[in-house]
Every structure is written in structure tokens, then in C-alpha cells.
Amino acid sequence: MNARETVLGRVRDALALAPRPAGTVPRDYRRGRELPDADRLALLVDRLADYKARVRTCTAAETAATLAEVLTGLGAARVGVPPGLDPAWLADWTGDLVEDRPEVPAPSLAELDAVVTASAVTCAETGTIFLDGSSGQGRRALTLVPDVHVCVVDLSQVTPGIPEALARLVPGRPTTLISGPSATSDIELERVEGVHGPRTLAVVVRTDR
């Protein structure tokens, strides 16, 4: 018997000697909170700015012009889009658009300057954007490999807190949570961005949707 089998055997013996009944998970956290549109918007913008995300607000009619300004300001020339993204959103942008496909190898997505997606729901309290892979949001690799992610968020999708956000998600769908640009700290606690995903996150909040 090798060391691994010995350790696992002792774990099994310990579990057999001290069986534990299934516990009850407490569900008494706050739920069903509401905030006026202006308060949710202000809270979300504050949290996103604290995470060093770039934030723009606009109306639905201004989506194309705003996205064109954002992409131009970021110096993007080749932009990836997921299947199902509303083409009208990028009608004012004159760069190269590349629609993602499942068969495209993930490493080749690094050749894109940026990616533009929609979103499923957003939590104002934590500044967290939820993507669930549905139409207009794309596969996980598309929002992790390119260095810039531009995400469109409708204010009607913004909830006060996490419980309210989770209640809007479809169980079983693959969910990605984004709280600002990808960042971590090195051994000296110096912030390092772009390690696990996009170095730059730009959020366009449409205030009348």
C-alpha cells in the first residue's frame, strides 16, 4: 500500500466512525430588495469605478454611437462579437467585426483587439456582471481571452443585491461572474491586471432599457 492509499484509507475510516447527518442550509438572508432606478445606477457606477472599469451611460438609441466612441477610444481595430448580438449596436463602428464560432480555437481569440457582448443580469451592490452564455453573450473563452471586454448592461437588468440577481438566472446555464477587469496581487501585494482575463473592462449602461 502506498502513501496515497494509506491516507485515503484513514479518511474513509474516520468518516465511517463519525457519520454526520445532512445539515440544513440557512436561507434567511435578505431577498426581494428594491431600489429606484437612479439609486441602482449610481451604486453600480460607483462599484464599477472602484474596480477600475470604464463606465459609460447612454440611452438605447445612443448605443451604436456610444460603442463606436468606446471602441475607438480603446484603439480597437478588430473586434469579436458573439452569435446573436444585435448588429445595430455596432452600426456606427467602421472596424473589422469577427463573429465567433464554436470551432474557432480559443488561443486565436487573442488576435482580437476587443470583444463586445450583452449581459444576463448585474448586481449593483457588488458591481458584478453575470453572463450565462445565452444569445449575444457568447462562450466563456470569448470573454476571457481578448485583452478588452466591452459589455452592454441594461438598467432594467440591474438588481440591488446578489440574491435578487441569482433569482433572475436560469438554473443549469453556464454562468460567468465579472467584477471589474481581471486582476490579482503578486507576493508583494502589487496589483497585476490581465492575468486571468481581460485587462480592460468597459461597461456601457443603457439607462432606458
mmCIF file of all heavy atoms in Angstrom, residues 149-175:
data_model
loop_
_atom_site.group_PDB
_atom_site.id
_atom_site.type_symbol
_atom_site.label_atom_id
_atom_site.label_comp_id
_atom_site.label_asym_id
_atom_site.label_seq_id
_atom_site.Cartn_x
_atom_site.Cartn_y
_atom_site.Cartn_z
ATOM 1 N N HIS A 149 -12.761 43.780 -22.894
ATOM 2 C CA HIS A 149 -14.154 43.336 -22.928
ATOM 3 C C HIS A 149 -15.047 44.554 -22.771
ATOM 4 O O HIS A 149 -14.956 45.275 -21.776
ATOM 5 C CB HIS A 149 -14.433 42.330 -21.808
ATOM 6 C CG HIS A 149 -15.837 41.807 -21.794
ATOM 7 N ND1 HIS A 149 -16.339 41.078 -20.729
ATOM 8 C CD2 HIS A 149 -16.861 41.893 -22.687
ATOM 9 C CE1 HIS A 149 -17.593 40.752 -20.977
ATOM 10 N NE2 HIS A 149 -17.931 41.242 -22.161
ATOM 11 N N VAL A 150 -15.906 44.789 -23.768
ATOM 12 C CA VAL A 150 -16.899 45.854 -23.698
ATOM 13 C C VAL A 150 -18.253 45.190 -23.501
ATOM 14 O O VAL A 150 -18.694 44.404 -24.347
ATOM 15 C CB VAL A 150 -16.905 46.716 -24.975
ATOM 16 C CG1 VAL A 150 -17.947 47.824 -24.858
ATOM 17 C CG2 VAL A 150 -15.522 47.313 -25.225
ATOM 18 N N CYS A 151 -18.892 45.465 -22.397
ATOM 19 C CA CYS A 151 -20.138 44.775 -22.035
ATOM 20 C C CYS A 151 -21.282 45.780 -21.936
ATOM 21 O O CYS A 151 -21.163 46.816 -21.275
ATOM 22 C CB CYS A 151 -19.959 44.048 -20.706
ATOM 23 S SG CYS A 151 -21.365 42.995 -20.267
ATOM 24 N N VAL A 152 -22.389 45.458 -22.583
ATOM 25 C CA VAL A 152 -23.576 46.308 -22.544
ATOM 26 C C VAL A 152 -24.521 45.786 -21.464
ATOM 27 O O VAL A 152 -24.871 44.600 -21.451
ATOM 28 C CB VAL A 152 -24.287 46.328 -23.909
ATOM 29 C CG1 VAL A 152 -25.560 47.169 -23.837
ATOM 30 C CG2 VAL A 152 -23.346 46.872 -24.980
ATOM 31 N N VAL A 153 -24.911 46.679 -20.566
ATOM 32 C CA VAL A 153 -25.787 46.334 -19.451
ATOM 33 C C VAL A 153 -27.030 47.220 -19.521
ATOM 34 O O VAL A 153 -26.914 48.438 -19.641
ATOM 35 C CB VAL A 153 -25.073 46.552 -18.100
ATOM 36 C CG1 VAL A 153 -26.058 46.431 -16.942
ATOM 37 C CG2 VAL A 153 -23.932 45.562 -17.934
ATOM 38 N N ASP A 154 -28.192 46.623 -19.468
ATOM 39 C CA ASP A 154 -29.437 47.391 -19.416
ATOM 40 C C ASP A 154 -29.811 47.631 -17.960
ATOM 41 O O ASP A 154 -29.747 46.713 -17.135
ATOM 42 C CB ASP A 154 -30.564 46.638 -20.110
ATOM 43 C CG ASP A 154 -30.357 46.551 -21.615
ATOM 44 O OD1 ASP A 154 -29.660 47.428 -22.161
ATOM 45 O OD2 ASP A 154 -30.887 45.618 -22.237
ATOM 46 N N LEU A 155 -30.212 48.857 -17.651
ATOM 47 C CA LEU A 155 -30.542 49.187 -16.268
ATOM 48 C C LEU A 155 -31.676 48.317 -15.739
ATOM 49 O O LEU A 155 -31.730 48.008 -14.543
ATOM 50 C CB LEU A 155 -30.916 50.670 -16.159
ATOM 51 C CG LEU A 155 -31.157 51.209 -14.752
ATOM 52 C CD1 LEU A 155 -29.953 50.971 -13.849
ATOM 53 C CD2 LEU A 155 -31.515 52.698 -14.792
ATOM 54 N N SER A 156 -32.561 47.880 -16.625
ATOM 55 C CA SER A 156 -33.659 47.011 -16.195
ATOM 56 C C SER A 156 -33.155 45.656 -15.713
ATOM 57 O O SER A 156 -33.868 44.928 -15.010
ATOM 58 C CB SER A 156 -34.652 46.809 -17.347
ATOM 59 O OG SER A 156 -34.019 46.175 -18.455
ATOM 60 N N GLN A 157 -31.927 45.291 -16.084
ATOM 61 C CA GLN A 157 -31.328 44.020 -15.657
ATOM 62 C C GLN A 157 -30.539 44.159 -14.364
ATOM 63 O O GLN A 157 -30.028 43.157 -13.854
ATOM 64 C CB GLN A 157 -30.389 43.495 -16.737
ATOM 65 C CG GLN A 157 -31.036 43.193 -18.076
ATOM 66 C CD GLN A 157 -29.995 42.838 -19.119
ATOM 67 O OE1 GLN A 157 -28.981 43.507 -19.258
ATOM 68 N NE2 GLN A 157 -30.244 41.765 -19.841
ATOM 69 N N VAL A 158 -30.415 45.361 -13.852
ATOM 70 C CA VAL A 158 -29.584 45.609 -12.664
ATOM 71 C C VAL A 158 -30.425 45.422 -11.409
ATOM 72 O O VAL A 158 -31.468 46.061 -11.241
ATOM 73 C CB VAL A 158 -28.974 47.019 -12.699
ATOM 74 C CG1 VAL A 158 -28.149 47.276 -11.435
ATOM 75 C CG2 VAL A 158 -28.120 47.196 -13.945
ATOM 76 N N THR A 159 -29.957 44.549 -10.511
ATOM 77 C CA THR A 159 -30.653 44.297 -9.253
ATOM 78 C C THR A 159 -29.880 44.922 -8.091
ATOM 79 O O THR A 159 -28.680 45.165 -8.193
ATOM 80 C CB THR A 159 -30.786 42.788 -8.988
ATOM 81 O OG1 THR A 159 -29.471 42.236 -8.787
ATOM 82 C CG2 THR A 159 -31.443 42.091 -10.172
ATOM 83 N N PRO A 160 -30.535 45.177 -6.960
ATOM 84 C CA PRO A 160 -29.831 45.754 -5.812
ATOM 85 C C PRO A 160 -28.749 44.831 -5.259
ATOM 86 O O PRO A 160 -27.647 45.274 -4.939
ATOM 87 C CB PRO A 160 -30.941 45.982 -4.782
ATOM 88 C CG PRO A 160 -32.194 46.065 -5.582
ATOM 89 C CD PRO A 160 -31.995 45.111 -6.725
ATOM 90 N N GLY A 161 -29.062 43.537 -5.108
ATOM 91 C CA GLY A 161 -28.124 42.631 -4.451
ATOM 92 C C GLY A 161 -27.975 41.298 -5.172
ATOM 93 O O GLY A 161 -28.628 41.024 -6.181
ATOM 94 N N ILE A 162 -27.098 40.458 -4.615
ATOM 95 C CA ILE A 162 -26.813 39.154 -5.197
ATOM 96 C C ILE A 162 -28.035 38.215 -5.174
ATOM 97 O O ILE A 162 -28.326 37.554 -6.175
ATOM 98 C CB ILE A 162 -25.619 38.483 -4.485
ATOM 99 C CG1 ILE A 162 -24.314 39.200 -4.848
ATOM 100 C CG2 ILE A 162 -25.516 37.010 -4.833
ATOM 101 C CD1 ILE A 162 -23.882 39.013 -6.279
ATOM 102 N N PRO A 163 -28.784 38.100 -4.057
ATOM 103 C CA PRO A 163 -29.941 37.190 -4.068
ATOM 104 C C PRO A 163 -30.932 37.529 -5.182
ATOM 105 O O PRO A 163 -31.480 36.633 -5.826
ATOM 106 C CB PRO A 163 -30.560 37.388 -2.680
ATOM 107 C CG PRO A 163 -29.421 37.832 -1.827
ATOM 108 C CD PRO A 163 -28.580 38.694 -2.714
ATOM 109 N N GLU A 164 -31.157 38.830 -5.402
ATOM 110 C CA GLU A 164 -32.091 39.237 -6.457
ATOM 111 C C GLU A 164 -31.533 38.898 -7.842
ATOM 112 O O GLU A 164 -32.274 38.536 -8.755
ATOM 113 C CB GLU A 164 -32.376 40.732 -6.359
ATOM 114 C CG GLU A 164 -33.135 41.156 -5.105
ATOM 115 C CD GLU A 164 -32.242 41.292 -3.872
ATOM 116 O OE1 GLU A 164 -30.998 41.347 -4.036
ATOM 117 O OE2 GLU A 164 -32.787 41.345 -2.762
ATOM 118 N N ALA A 165 -30.209 39.020 -7.992
ATOM 119 C CA ALA A 165 -29.584 38.687 -9.271
ATOM 120 C C ALA A 165 -29.679 37.189 -9.547
ATOM 121 O O ALA A 165 -30.025 36.765 -10.660
ATOM 122 C CB ALA A 165 -28.122 39.135 -9.274
ATOM 123 N N LEU A 166 -29.379 36.378 -8.551
ATOM 124 C CA LEU A 166 -29.431 34.925 -8.728
ATOM 125 C C LEU A 166 -30.835 34.451 -9.075
ATOM 126 O O LEU A 166 -31.010 33.485 -9.822
ATOM 127 C CB LEU A 166 -28.939 34.227 -7.461
ATOM 128 C CG LEU A 166 -27.451 34.396 -7.126
ATOM 129 C CD1 LEU A 166 -27.128 33.721 -5.807
ATOM 130 C CD2 LEU A 166 -26.580 33.826 -8.238
ATOM 131 N N ALA A 167 -31.840 35.130 -8.529
ATOM 132 C CA ALA A 167 -33.224 34.733 -8.795
ATOM 133 C C ALA A 167 -33.593 34.918 -10.259
ATOM 134 O O ALA A 167 -34.538 34.293 -10.753
ATOM 135 C CB ALA A 167 -34.169 35.535 -7.912
ATOM 136 N N ARG A 168 -32.849 35.769 -10.981
ATOM 137 C CA ARG A 168 -33.150 36.017 -12.388
ATOM 138 C C ARG A 168 -32.411 35.068 -13.335
ATOM 139 O O ARG A 168 -32.706 35.029 -14.523
ATOM 140 C CB ARG A 168 -32.791 37.458 -12.762
ATOM 141 C CG ARG A 168 -33.617 38.517 -12.072
ATOM 142 C CD ARG A 168 -33.439 39.848 -12.765
ATOM 143 N NE ARG A 168 -34.151 40.926 -12.098
ATOM 144 C CZ ARG A 168 -34.308 42.140 -12.608
ATOM 145 N NH1 ARG A 168 -33.784 42.422 -13.804
ATOM 146 N NH2 ARG A 168 -34.955 43.069 -11.942
ATOM 147 N N LEU A 169 -31.440 34.343 -12.812
ATOM 148 C CA LEU A 169 -30.666 33.448 -13.654
ATOM 149 C C LEU A 169 -31.412 32.147 -13.913
ATOM 150 O O LEU A 169 -32.239 31.714 -13.105
ATOM 151 C CB LEU A 169 -29.320 33.135 -12.993
ATOM 152 C CG LEU A 169 -28.358 34.319 -12.838
ATOM 153 C CD1 LEU A 169 -27.151 33.898 -12.023
ATOM 154 C CD2 LEU A 169 -27.929 34.844 -14.206
ATOM 155 N N VAL A 170 -31.105 31.530 -15.041
ATOM 156 C CA VAL A 170 -31.711 30.243 -15.393
ATOM 157 C C VAL A 170 -30.834 29.128 -14.825
ATOM 158 O O VAL A 170 -29.659 29.011 -15.213
ATOM 159 C CB VAL A 170 -31.826 30.092 -16.922
ATOM 160 C CG1 VAL A 170 -32.412 28.729 -17.272
ATOM 161 C CG2 VAL A 170 -32.674 31.211 -17.508
ATOM 162 N N PRO A 171 -31.347 28.319 -13.896
ATOM 163 C CA PRO A 171 -30.539 27.239 -13.318
ATOM 164 C C PRO A 171 -30.024 26.302 -14.408
ATOM 165 O O PRO A 171 -30.730 25.957 -15.341
ATOM 166 C CB PRO A 171 -31.521 26.533 -12.386
ATOM 167 C CG PRO A 171 -32.563 27.554 -12.070
ATOM 168 C CD PRO A 171 -32.701 28.386 -13.314
ATOM 169 N N GLY A 172 -28.774 25.906 -14.266
ATOM 170 C CA GLY A 172 -28.203 24.975 -15.219
ATOM 171 C C GLY A 172 -27.428 25.633 -16.344
ATOM 172 O O GLY A 172 -26.673 24.945 -17.046
ATOM 173 N N ARG A 173 -27.591 26.933 -16.547
ATOM 174 C CA ARG A 173 -26.823 27.602 -17.590
ATOM 175 C C ARG A 173 -25.415 27.896 -17.069
ATOM 176 O O ARG A 173 -25.226 28.172 -15.877
ATOM 177 C CB ARG A 173 -27.482 28.907 -18.028
ATOM 178 C CG ARG A 173 -28.811 28.721 -18.753
ATOM 179 C CD ARG A 173 -29.147 29.946 -19.590
ATOM 180 N NE ARG A 173 -28.160 30.139 -20.642
ATOM 181 C CZ ARG A 173 -28.228 29.567 -21.844
ATOM 182 N NH1 ARG A 173 -29.234 28.769 -22.135
ATOM 183 N NH2 ARG A 173 -27.288 29.793 -22.746
ATOM 184 N N PRO A 174 -24.395 27.855 -17.940
ATOM 185 C CA PRO A 174 -23.031 28.178 -17.508
ATOM 186 C C PRO A 174 -22.933 29.659 -17.168
ATOM 187 O O PRO A 174 -23.275 30.514 -17.998
ATOM 188 C CB PRO A 174 -22.176 27.827 -18.735
ATOM 189 C CG PRO A 174 -23.109 27.980 -19.891
ATOM 190 C CD PRO A 174 -24.461 27.556 -19.388
ATOM 191 N N THR A 175 -22.513 29.969 -15.978
ATOM 192 C CA THR A 175 -22.520 31.362 -15.524
ATOM 193 C C THR A 175 -21.107 31.865 -15.248
ATOM 194 O O THR A 175 -20.335 31.204 -14.558
ATOM 195 C CB THR A 175 -23.374 31.517 -14.248
ATOM 196 O OG1 THR A 175 -24.686 31.007 -14.494
ATOM 197 C CG2 THR A 175 -23.485 32.974 -13.844
#
